[in-house]
Amino acid sequence: QVQLVESGGGLVQAGGSLRLSCAASGRTFSDRAMGWFRQAPGKEREFVAGISRSGERYYGDSVEGRFTIDRDNTQKIVSLQMNSLNANDTAVYYCGQTRRVAYFATRQYLAHQGSYETWGQGTQVTVSS
């Protein structure tokens, strides 16, 4: 059974940076796309970033240019480097793994929660202004 474990969340001042990691175990990693979503209190879960098997990266509009997603197929880790954080980035961040997919994936596919088969437990990110 696959498990996704996020780490790296915490409290940071506005303008600061954090790096989240998501470690996968239990099955192959390279044949699936990965993504990050977040959910703030009282709001729906929203797409943050996704990365296909080919390494194509897609981002939510509110994080474009500030966040970077990467994957390491050998270590089975997907990371999210978050820079220039602001109070609107405060949320619980979730890592997700898709079903087995083709080498290339569209933004529409990666931004859709239904594309993901497995989720991590989430890690809290709080940005103080």
Side-chain angles (χ1 to χ4, degrees):
Q1 186 174 353
V2 67
Q3 273 193 317
L4 301 176
V5 180
E6 300 103 333
S7 61
L11 175 64
V12 63
Q13 287 189 332
S17 299
L18 278 177
R19 184 178 182 87
L20 306 183
S21 292
C22 172
S25 63
R27 66 182 172 203
T28 55
F29 180 82
S30 61
D31 60 350
R32 299 165 195 267
M34 302 294 296
W36 287 95
F37 285 71
R38 68 186 182 186
Q39 188 166 18
K43 296 187 177 180
E44 294 186 353
R45 189 175 295 192
E46 66 170 347
F47 172 69
V48 175
I51 185 166
S52 68
R53 291 178 57 199
S54 66
E56 197 76 17
R57 299 170 175 84
Y58 302 98
Y59 299 95
D61 292 341
S62 61
V63 307
E64 182 81 50
R66 299 187 298 123
F67 290 12
T68 303
I69 186 172
D70 273 309
R71 64 185 296 160
D72 184 332
N73 290 337
T74 301
Q75 299 293 326
K76 296 185 180 180
I77 290 175
V78 61
S79 62
L80 184 69
Q81 177 65 41
M82 305 185 296
N83 298 328
S84 301
L85 288 162
N86 59 62
N88 292 327
D89 296 317
T90 295
V92 177
Y93 285 70
Y94 296 92
C95 167
Q97 184 180 68
T98 69
R99 300 169 181 78
R100 195 171 296 167
V101 294
Y103 193 62
F104 298 102
T106 64
R107 184 187 187 281
Q108 183 179 12
Y109 179 82
L110 293 177
H112 180 50
Q113 292 186 57
S115 301
Y116 294 81
E117 188 175 50
T118 305
W119 295 93
Q121 82 287 352
T123 186
Q124 176 71 47
V125 172
T126 302
V127 183
S128 63
S129 55

